[in-house]
């Protein structure tokens, strides 16, 4: 399928990289590094040494190219107020931007955040994104 469509993968552990390397791709896989921002379902903690290890390993791997950083605050659905949603979105934003700063500032990256509760407050969220960052807001049921 790769010649006909773009496939982006999520990785959250260095042990996944040798699997991608063994697939002998004709071009590196574009990957998001998945961050755990509190749901504890998947991803690497943005405040951990494990994130630094993963970024370093991904940068060294000939089989992957870091496309950006991704997180999903599934636990945001437990919030009950606008303030709860704003606080959760801020955690997501700070996490992906902090991770992106591990890479050169002249490299374009996509930082993907969001859930339906936080999408409702995104207009209140004002952040100075570095010029190399493209923000992607993913919020599944928000559109419905």
């Amino acid at each position: 399928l790769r010649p006909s469509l773009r496939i982006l993968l999520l990785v959250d552990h260095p042990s996944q990289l040798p699997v991608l390397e063994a697939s002998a791709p004709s071009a590196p896989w574009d990957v998001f590094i998945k961050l755990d921002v509190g749901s504890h379902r998947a991803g690497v903690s943005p405040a951990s040494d494990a994130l630094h290890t993963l970024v370093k390993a991904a940068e060294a791997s000939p089989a992957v190219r870091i496309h950006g950083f991704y997180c999903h605050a599934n636990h945001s659905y437990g919030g009950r107020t606008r303030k709860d949603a704003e606080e959760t979105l801020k955690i997501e934003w700070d996490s992906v931007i902090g991770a992106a700063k591990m890479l050169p500032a002249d490299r374009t990256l996509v930082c993907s955040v969001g859930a339906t509760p936080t999408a409702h407050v995104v207009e209140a969220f004002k952040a100075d994104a570095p010029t190399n960052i493209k923000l992607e807001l993913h919020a599944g049921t928000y559109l419905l």
Side-chain angles (χ1 to χ4, degrees), residues 55-89:
V55 169
K56 186 176 177 182
E59 283 290 278
S61 174
V64 300
R65 178 177 40 241
I66 298 174
H67 180 72
F69 296 89
Y70 174 100
C71 63
H72 176 69
N74 188 54
H75 60 291
S76 66
Y77 290 90
R80 295 293 174 242
T81 66
R82 181 178 183 86
K83 185 174 189 253
D84 291 341
E86 289 171 356
E87 288 172 357
T88 303
L89 183 58

Side-chain angles (χ1 to χ4, degrees), residues 2-139:
R2 287 189 80 192
S4 61
L5 65 116
R6 186 168 189 199
I7 299 172
L8 295 163
L9 304 175
L10 297 176
V11 297
D12 65 0
H13 195 274
S15 66
Q16 296 160 334
L17 300 176
V19 174
L20 297 176
E21 290 164 0
S23 72
S26 58
W29 293 100
D30 288 320
V31 300
F32 277 105
I33 293 182
K34 172 106 167 74
L35 303 177
D36 177 0
V37 294
S39 297
H40 308 302
R41 186 168 69 175
V44 59
S45 171
S48 69
D49 289 338
L51 176 58
H52 292 277
T53 300
L54 178 56
V55 169
K56 186 176 177 182
E59 283 290 278
S61 174
V64 300
R65 178 177 40 241
I66 298 174
H67 180 72
F69 296 89
Y70 174 100
C71 63
H72 176 69
N74 188 54
H75 60 291
S76 66
Y77 290 90
R80 295 293 174 242
T81 66
R82 181 178 183 86
K83 185 174 189 253
D84 291 341
E86 289 171 356
E87 288 172 357
T88 303
L89 183 58
K90 176 136 177 52
I91 290 167
E92 286 185 295
W93 180 252
D94 290 347
S95 296
V96 293
I97 293 300
K101 288 180 179 176
M102 292 182 202
L103 297 171
D106 63 346
R107 184 146 149 212
T108 300
L109 297 166
V110 174
C111 286
S112 186
V113 301
T116 294
T118 58
H120 286 284
V121 299
V122 75
E123 79 283 349
F125 182 69
K126 294 183 174 45
D128 293 322
T131 57
N132 66 317
I133 300 299
K134 293 180 181 179
L135 175 62
E136 175 182 272
L137 179 63
H138 59 260

